[in-house]
Amino acid sequence: MRHGGHEAPHDDPPHALADEAEGYLLAHAHRDQARREAEDLCARMPWLTTAQAEELTGHYVRRRLDVTRQLLHSTVQRAEELRREYESRYADLRHTLLRRHAACACALLACAGGVSALTILLTR
């Protein structure tokens, strides 16, 4: 995870390797955690044979990784939706701010022109 002001694009070559390595390490840590949980589960079932315990462990780890993958995909999709919504809102706010500044500038110029014209009329 990079910390700082702005995130680099995902296509940025200097960060692509770091992102891939981070993902690899996180995936392996998650798989190891799932394996530990499965082994704890099997330890609470002393009647299982070694083959049954290995099969249950493998099934648990696969299922857990599938669930995690689904959760990560839905999280990424939601993040993309939110990013699009925020970018749209930001663009709308910038447009509104630009219009207001332009209106204020026009009003200021009109007032300056009116004061200038009034000054010229009064000095005659």
Side-chain angles (χ1 to χ4, degrees):
M1 280 186 255
R2 289 181 300 278
H3 301 287
H6 297 284
E7 286 288 318
H10 293 289
D11 302 349
D12 196 9
H15 298 294
L17 182 60
D19 289 344
E20 188 173 334
E22 180 184 21
Y24 177 82
L25 292 173
L26 287 172
H28 277 276
H30 190 76
R31 189 197 68 210
D32 291 342
Q33 176 66 29
R35 180 165 295 286
R36 282 191 299 274
E37 291 173 8
E39 289 169 354
D40 288 344
L41 176 65
C42 290
R44 286 185 256 140
M45 297 181 207
W47 60 87
L48 293 176
T49 64
T50 303
Q52 289 172 330
E54 288 174 2
E55 184 179 342
L56 180 62
T57 299
H59 177 72
Y60 180 89
V61 169
R62 283 189 303 276
R63 184 64 188 133
R64 171 83 183 273
L65 293 178
D66 288 342
V67 169
T68 300
R69 192 174 294 112
Q70 290 171 355
L71 289 172
L72 287 174
H73 283 299
S74 65
T75 300
V76 166
Q77 288 174 346
R78 180 64 180 143
E80 289 173 359
E81 289 172 8
L82 288 173
R83 181 184 52 78
R84 284 191 299 271
E85 288 176 21
Y86 286 134
E87 285 176 351
S88 173
R89 180 68 178 142
Y90 180 71
D92 291 344
L93 290 172
R94 283 184 57 184
H95 183 70
T96 301
L97 185 64
L98 179 62
R99 275 191 321 212
R100 289 180 182 173
H101 276 83
C104 286
C106 289
L108 185 63
L109 286 174
C111 287
V115 168
S116 176
L118 185 60
T119 304
I120 290 174
L121 286 176
L122 291 177
T123 56
R124 282 187 186 188

